Amino acid sequence: MARILIVDDDPDIIEAMRVVLENRGHQVDSAFDGAKAMEKITANKPDLVILDVMMTTPQEGFNLARQLKQDCKTAQIPILMLTAVKQKTGIDFKPEAGDETWLPVEGYLDKPVRPDVLIEKVEALLHKA
Amino acid sequence: MEEILQSPSMAKRAIWLANLRWVAIGALVVATFVSSRFLGVHLASRQLYYLAGALLVYNAALYGLLRWLTRGRDEPPSRAIGRVISLQISGDLAILTTILHFAGGIENPFAFFFVFHMIIASILRSRIESYIQAGLACVLFGAMVILEYTGLLSHHPLEGFAGHGLYRDGIFVLGSLFVFCVTLFLVVYMTTSIAQQVRDQQEELELANRQLQEKDKLKNEYVLRVSHDVKGHLAAIQSCIDTVYDGLLGPLNHAQKDMIGRAHRRTAQALAFVTDLLKLTHMKMAGKVEISCFPIRQVVAKAIGAVKDRAEAKSVSLTAEISASLDIICGEQLLIEETLENLLFNAVKYTPEGGKVRLEVLDQGKQVVIHVRDTGIGIPWDEMPRIFEEFYRASNARTVDREGTGLGLSFAKQVVERHGGQITVQNNQAGGCTFTIILPKGSDRSIAQKTVL
């Protein structure tokens, strides 16, 4: 199945998602911060990245996503973004806004994510990719 | 100088004074006419009519000046308005003295009218200025009566009214002048001391109000921090419980499934509560809403879509009507969407099976009027006033659903008021209740102005 990297600063969330995804036969790796994630992505390109918006700094998730999308080697990796409260994260859901807050990530989910919702979304993204 | 009135009301007062002067000019003309024609009082009518004419010009100029100063401004320049008021008072003192001179001088009892100007000065202007105005009145009036007494200024007697010759009676002139001045200064003394007290109290209130706002802000920050933190933990707990509950770590027996199910539900409730609290607090702390213009139809369709399944599951009929003329409105789309969704969600929740929920979105010129009608359990009338309070849940709502957070309607109220609108609720005669939102269609500018706190 697919290789998935979960980037989140909460180890319990990572563990719970790992159980859900491994149960579906996916291979799961994790990183606690942006730098570690970048390292793992360059060393071993995953099929999908699940990314928490709010990490040590509120913008860390965004910055990582932007970095990945700007590099042509990683730009095609689908990113699933996890958000806490959707309208307050600064994400503009309308692509026509065109400012720097708009990010071409492939999907958003509100935290906490129900296992069935997570599986559905992840597999839809992998299928598309 | 500490103004007793905020500058918008200062401006109103200044215009009020100018308006009073129109009346006074009219009264002067009528009084002159009636006294000279019907009461047989001999008056220098011609001069008085000229004076009235001059007054008309003077007042028109003042009026124009005030209109120009306040034109199109919410916050007129209070210093300039204050100066115009001072000018009006001093000008009136001079004019009143001139009128009295042409109408009997010290023999004319209208000299009492100086008291009005002292009261107005004492309330609207500073203590020092009020005493200066009283001094000015004494000097003007004193000069007039003394010049008439000495014959340097001609006397225009009120023949047929007061015994003429009094203006030449030194004791009477001095005595009257003394009482006149003492009266003015006493009026100023009394009125300014009362006005000062009011001013002090107002200042105290303003200070207390500022402190309250400061505390409220601190409280909001505190709530935000705590609930954000708690939410992180709850999200992790929920995710962990879910894996067990869904049997991903192996099958559960009935008792295990039941117990973990309880934990699952309670965590979900706690999460919903904390999420609502976060949203509400964010809303309260946000200085303004982020305005964009969007088709209202789209928002209505989304909100209906969000509750459709739930209504169908309960066989509650869900219908919507939108005025054909409605198109674009301006506001924060996500917030308005969520508010509509909230109200529809409540309506479906508190409407028993087979009931009806109806959404009406009506075009009323500059406003959109939204009704959410249901045939549900209604709201006990004595609890109506509290229904929008934070954490408040109607007694009958609690029996239908134990899990509500009591924050949904507070959030709706915050959103609507942020947009310069109103939200109200009424019980229907046939049962159930109707929530009504009146929302200005707004433009980028109008809403932004209203919401800057």
Side-chain angles (χ1 to χ4, degrees):
Chain A
M1 292 301 273
R3 283 176 304 112
I4 299 171
L5 178 70
I6 304 175
V7 189
D8 197 314
D9 61 349
D10 187 329
D12 296 324
I13 296 257
I14 292 184
E15 243 6 79
M17 283 197 281
R18 182 199 300 280
V19 166
V20 173
L21 294 169
E22 282 182 352
N23 195 265
R24 295 288 296 179
H26 299 297
Q27 198 183 322
V28 177
D29 198 359
S30 60
F32 291 125
D33 58 40
K36 195 83 195 150
M38 209 55 206
E39 213 173 275
K40 290 200 168 182
I41 291 166
T42 15
N44 190 4
K45 209 170 89 178
D47 300 317
L48 176 86
V49 175
I50 297 176
L51 186 54
D52 182 28
V53 177
M54 310 269 189
M55 286 190 288
T56 6
T57 64
Q59 289 297 315
E60 202 170 335
F62 279 126
N63 293 339
L64 181 62
R66 200 170 295 139
Q67 231 176 315
L68 289 177
K69 288 299 169 192
Q70 276 163 3
D71 186 340
C72 60
K73 274 176 256 146
T74 53
Q76 66 280 18
I77 305 174
I79 298 176
L80 175 59
M81 192 81 112
L82 300 183
T83 61
V85 185
K86 86 176 157 205
Q87 64 264 61
K88 288 300 165 194
T89 48
I91 301 169
D92 202 322
F93 285 79
K94 295 159 294 181
E96 67 268 21
D99 56 37
E100 66 278 8
T101 56
W102 165 250
L103 273 173
V105 298
E106 281 69 22
Y108 293 97
L109 282 177
D110 266 338
K111 250 177 151 181
V113 191
R114 286 275 309 139
D116 44 347
V117 177
L118 179 66
I119 290 165
E120 192 188 316
K121 192 83 184 176
V122 161
E123 287 176 3
L125 288 181
L126 286 171
H127 199 72
K128 235 195 285 176
Chain B
M1 184 192 87
E2 192 60 42
E3 306 284 357
I4 194 169
L5 297 172
Q6 301 297 318
S7 73
S9 23
M10 276 285 272
K12 253 186 229 157
R13 276 299 169 211
I15 289 175
W16 172 77
L17 277 179
N19 281 335
L20 270 183
R21 201 168 294 106
W22 296 123
V23 179
I25 297 167
L28 171 64
V29 172
V30 171
T32 308
F33 184 75
V34 171
S35 319
S36 57
R37 275 296 164 88
F38 302 112
L39 300 179
V41 180
H42 286 273
L43 274 174
S45 313
R46 197 156 44 93
Q47 284 92 332
L48 287 174
Y49 289 135
Y50 286 155
L51 261 175
L55 260 172
L56 274 178
V57 175
Y58 160 74
N59 204 35
L62 267 177
Y63 202 79
L65 178 63
L66 282 170
R67 284 276 167 224
W68 180 72
L69 278 173
T70 55
R71 169 196 41 147
R73 284 194 249 197
D74 285 343
E75 191 81 0
S78 63
R79 271 169 178 277
I81 301 261
R83 268 188 233 117
V84 176
I85 291 179
S86 305
L87 181 78
Q88 288 191 64
I89 295 170
S90 301
D92 283 353
L93 296 178
I95 289 159
L96 186 53
T97 309
T98 318
I99 293 172
L100 290 176
H101 163 64
F102 285 109
I106 199 156
E107 293 164 11
N108 191 329
F110 276 107
F112 282 121
F113 273 32
F114 281 102
V115 169
F116 298 148
H117 298 92
M118 296 306 109
I119 294 173
I120 289 166
S122 304
I123 293 175
L124 295 183
R125 309 299 294 151
S126 70
R127 191 186 287 257
I128 294 171
E129 189 195 315
S130 306
Y131 281 116
I132 293 175
Q133 298 277 18
L136 177 66
C138 282
V139 168
L140 286 170
F141 186 72
M144 188 262 290
V145 298
I146 289 168
L147 288 177
E148 284 189 19
Y149 168 76
T150 55
L152 287 171
L153 209 58
S154 61
H155 177 70
H156 300 270
L158 277 178
E159 270 174 67
F161 175 73
H164 32 100
L166 268 179
Y167 74 100
R168 296 193 64 102
D169 182 335
I171 302 292
F172 175 77
V173 168
L174 279 181
S176 301
L177 193 56
F178 175 73
V179 173
F180 175 83
C181 292
V182 169
T183 306
L184 294 195
F185 278 98
L186 275 177
V187 165
V188 169
Y189 169 71
M190 288 176 187
T191 319
T192 50
S193 91
I194 293 170
Q196 187 60 47
Q197 194 185 341
V198 176
R199 236 171 247 158
D200 290 347
Q201 280 167 351
Q202 192 175 333
E203 235 172 276
E204 270 169 43
L205 275 177
E206 265 164 28
L207 183 69
N209 197 20
R210 264 202 304 279
Q211 283 170 340
L212 266 178
Q213 280 175 355
E214 200 62 29
K215 289 223 168 88
D216 195 54
K217 196 174 153 240
L218 270 178
K219 182 210 77 185
N220 282 338
E221 278 165 10
Y222 183 81
V223 170
L224 202 64
R225 215 194 152 76
V226 170
S227 39
H228 195 269
D229 235 52
V230 172
K231 196 187 168 192
H233 296 303
L234 286 173
I237 295 170
Q238 178 85 315
S239 300
C240 294
I241 289 178
D242 276 348
T243 60
V244 181
Y245 183 72
D246 286 11
L248 300 178
L249 299 169
L252 300 175
N253 68 31
H254 183 70
Q256 287 168 332
K257 180 101 185 169
D258 175 63
M259 201 45 83
I260 202 80
R262 287 169 192 270
H264 175 83
R265 274 194 303 281
R266 294 303 288 269
T267 316
Q269 268 175 47
L271 250 175
F273 178 79
V274 170
T275 307
D276 278 3
L277 191 58
L278 261 177
K279 269 195 282 191
L280 184 66
T281 313
H282 266 305
M283 190 68 220
K284 284 189 191 163
M285 291 183 67
K288 54 177 181 175
V289 287
E290 282 159 29
I291 308 295
S292 63
C293 297
F294 52 88
I296 184 147
R297 242 156 249 282
Q298 188 185 320
V299 168
V300 169
K302 262 195 170 172
I304 291 277
V307 290
K308 216 174 107 202
D309 289 351
R310 205 172 289 260
E312 265 168 29
K314 266 182 93 175
S315 42
V316 165
S317 91
L318 180 63
T319 53
E321 178 201 321
I322 309 179
S323 294
S325 51
L326 267 178
D327 189 16
I328 302 285
I329 71 164
C330 298
E332 188 158 346
Q333 187 174 356
L334 274 177
L335 292 180
I336 292 175
E337 214 171 278
E338 202 163 338
T339 302
L340 273 189
E341 219 177 285
N342 248 331
L343 291 181
L344 286 172
F345 185 82
N346 274 351
V348 171
K349 182 157 76 176
Y350 297 116
T351 298
E353 272 185 36
K356 286 178 192 153
V357 171
R358 180 170 173 75
L359 171 68
E360 288 163 20
V361 186
L362 309 172
D363 188 356
Q364 289 203 346
K366 288 183 173 173
Q367 295 171 328
V368 182
V369 176
I370 302 170
H371 298 292
V372 178
R373 305 182 193 279
D374 65 39
T375 57
I377 57 172
I379 297 164
W381 67 270
D382 54 330
E383 298 183 46
M384 282 275 186
R386 300 195 58 193
I387 201 74
F388 292 104
E389 279 176 26
E390 279 160 46
F391 306 111
Y392 190 80
R393 299 195 62 211
S395 49
N396 56 345
R398 276 172 279 179
T399 61
V400 172
D401 165 42
R402 280 179 34 207
E403 300 175 11
T405 61
L407 292 171
L409 288 178
S410 321
F411 180 74
K413 189 175 158 75
Q414 281 281 336
V415 170
V416 172
E417 287 178 356
R418 272 295 147 92
H419 284 82
Q422 273 178 309
I423 182 168
T424 51
V425 63
Q426 268 185 322
N427 277 326
N428 304 329
Q429 274 189 335
C433 59
T434 300
F435 280 87
T436 300
I437 294 177
I438 300 176
L439 208 58
K441 281 181 190 168
S443 62
D444 291 5
R445 217 175 132 256
S446 65
I447 297 178
Q449 270 182 349
K450 264 183 212 132
T451 49
V452 172
L453 294 178

